[in-house]
Amino acid sequence: MTYSQSGITVIHRVPKSKDSPYGANVIKSVPIDKPAFVVLGGELTSDLRGANSYAKRLQILLYENNIPSVDVYSVAYQFGSRHPGLERKSLFKMARRKIENSTTPITRDKFAKISDNMQRNEPTPNYIKQLFNILVRPRIVDGMNKPFNVAVAVKNVSKMKIYAHCHGAAAVWQLANYMYDEMKKLGFDEKDIKKIQSGLLVIQHSPIAPLVNQRFFTISFASAEDSMMQHHNNYISEWMGKNSGDIVPAFFDSKYGNFFVAGRLKELAFKEHDYIGLLPSDEELWPLTDDGKIIFAAERNAIVRAANDAVHGVTTHSVRDLTNGNGVDFDALKNSGDMLYKIMIKDLRQQTPKPDRQK
């Protein structure tokens, strides 16, 4: 059977005109000297309309906060013969995370056959290579493929921010690992790679990818009742899914993925995975719970402040500075996260059967 390579199409939000009636143009490159926000949406973002929908919403948020100078881009995936669900499953297995079989209704034999086919034909997805070549490579090497010095590379990388939803987080995870490998080939040492990669800020909503051991500076936001996340990220998501009614708005620090969560974000429970709620006007259609208002306010703060940092060429490494204020008490969220973690660990230890000591 013929194998079809994966790929991407990148669009750039522009003013509507006769030539750009939908306010977006397909592009082949992203300027490294201008502040930019790039959106990586969910796996269903397979056409320009879907990519433009993500980009338009992010642009509205920036305009509402008087930040019109940040260019907004978005990505449409063409997965070809790849299976994005199995791709994500492979990432979790590599990260040694538990995955429940129910999340991917494919038999073990078929899973192995498709995975082997993907690995044989595209050990690194072509769409990840394209993301790297369009978004990242020009920020770390010059036109002659000569590496920039660390200070220049950090400055270039920090001009770009990424917003990821669902599968977008899996794309980010793979992009970071591919970038690491390519930088090693280019001669960057471990210390410089870490410094450069940590200068790239990623904000994730309902990420279906490992949360910890991120190479980029990553902040995640989610609902404990998001059924698409409950089968991933080991015991944390599993425990939260079972105890969502007791999950107050909380923050779990970098050891657990810089993760903001609440029991339920939406009044309409079946919308928990969706990123709709980011704009204040979204509540007219999909009202938020009181807890949801806090989580989305923190997420809005992070996006707006990240955009301002890009404009001013600032590299921010403080989650508190990015999220606190406007109805968000970061210190209270951190305390709640510490408390919930202690309760979770206690519950899990009590649920673990004790070894049989009978002789």
Side-chain angles (χ1 to χ4, degrees), residues 35-67:
F37 234 118
V38 180
V39 185
L40 298 175
E43 71 173 84
L44 298 181
T45 316
S46 58
D47 56 26
L48 301 185
R49 181 177 180 179
N52 195 27
S53 177
Y54 274 104
K56 181 179 179 180
R57 296 183 67 78
L58 187 67
Q59 187 178 60
I60 289 173
L61 178 61
L62 298 182
Y63 275 41
E64 288 179 345
N65 287 273
N66 300 313
I67 315 174

Side-chain angles (χ1 to χ4, degrees), residues 201-203 216-221 250-255 257-260 297-299 301-303 305-306 309 315-325 328-331 333-334:
L201 172 63
V202 178
I203 298 167
F216 299 145
F217 177 36
T218 306
I219 310 174
S220 298
F221 301 83
F251 170 74
F252 295 82
D253 62 24
S254 58
K255 184 178 179 181
N258 286 331
F259 184 47
F260 288 86
E299 190 170 339
N301 285 347
I303 292 171
R305 291 170 187 171
D309 287 348
T315 302
T316 303
H317 289 88
S318 168
V319 180
R320 189 182 193 282
D321 288 345
L322 285 165
T323 59
N324 192 54
V328 179
D329 185 336
F330 176 82
D331 295 329
L333 294 178
K334 175 67 168 61

Side-chain angles (χ1 to χ4, degrees), residues 117-341:
N117 195 32
M118 289 162 55
Q119 181 63 28
R120 183 170 58 255
N121 289 282
E122 267 183 294
T124 298
N126 189 52
Y127 80 95
I128 297 299
K129 294 180 180 180
Q130 289 180 351
L131 281 173
F132 174 76
N133 288 330
I134 294 173
L135 302 178
V136 179
R137 183 182 291 277
R139 299 175 188 274
I140 60 175
V141 297
D142 62 20
M144 302 299 292
N145 209 38
K146 180 181 178 181
F148 289 126
N149 67 50
V150 177
V152 172
V154 169
K155 180 181 178 180
N156 291 341
V157 165
S158 64
K159 279 282 186 181
M160 178 180 68
K161 315 298 178 184
I162 294 177
Y163 181 77
H165 175 232
C166 188
H167 181 83
V172 167
W173 177 270
Q174 294 175 90
L175 175 63
N177 289 334
Y178 183 68
M179 177 182 175
Y180 173 86
D181 292 339
E182 290 299 295
M183 292 183 76
K184 290 285 286 186
K185 294 176 185 177
L186 287 165
F188 289 96
D189 64 29
E190 291 283 344
K191 181 180 178 182
D192 290 344
I193 293 174
K194 184 175 182 179
K195 185 173 183 179
I196 293 167
Q197 287 200 293
S198 64
L200 202 164
L201 172 63
V202 178
I203 298 167
Q204 303 184 149
H205 187 86
S206 298
I208 308 298
L211 293 178
V212 298
N213 299 322
Q214 297 277 358
R215 296 189 187 279
F216 299 145
F217 177 36
T218 306
I219 310 174
S220 298
F221 301 83
S223 162
E225 289 194 3
D226 179 359
S227 60
M228 292 189 69
M229 289 190 65
Q230 287 172 7
H231 304 286
H232 303 86
N233 286 306
N234 227 351
Y235 54 85
I236 292 183
S237 290
E238 183 179 358
W239 182 85
M240 287 186 178
K242 292 178 180 178
N243 297 275
S244 60
D246 299 321
I247 306 298
V248 298
F251 170 74
F252 295 82
D253 62 24
S254 58
K255 184 178 179 181
Y256 312 105
N258 286 331
F259 184 47
F260 288 86
V261 67
R264 183 171 172 179
L265 306 185
K266 312 282 180 59
E267 294 291 353
L268 298 174
F270 60 91
K271 296 293 186 181
E272 288 300 281
H273 184 67
D274 208 293
Y275 76 110
I276 303 300
L278 198 56
L279 298 176
S281 59
D282 288 341
E283 282 207 68
E284 297 174 8
L285 292 175
W286 292 354
L288 301 177
T289 63
D290 288 341
D291 291 349
K293 292 175 183 177
I294 294 173
I295 298 300
F296 273 106
E299 190 170 339
R300 278 195 297 274
N301 285 347
I303 292 171
V304 170
R305 291 170 187 171
N308 273 317
D309 287 348
V311 171
H312 296 101
V314 177
T315 302
T316 303
H317 289 88
S318 168
V319 180
R320 189 182 193 282
D321 288 345
L322 285 165
T323 59
N324 192 54
N326 299 320
V328 179
D329 185 336
F330 176 82
D331 295 329
L333 294 178
K334 175 67 168 61
N335 290 336
S336 294
D338 293 342
M339 176 190 69
L340 282 171
Y341 186 76

Side-chain angles (χ1 to χ4, degrees), residues 13-17 20-21 23-24 59 63:
R13 287 289 297 174
V14 297
K16 288 185 178 181
S17 66
S20 303
Q59 187 178 60
Y63 275 41

Side-chain angles (χ1 to χ4, degrees), residues 43 84-92 99 167 170 208 228:
E43 71 173 84
L86 295 186
E87 184 176 292
R88 295 192 297 272
K89 189 168 185 175
S90 296
L91 295 183
F92 280 101
I99 304 220
H167 181 83
I208 308 298
M228 292 189 69

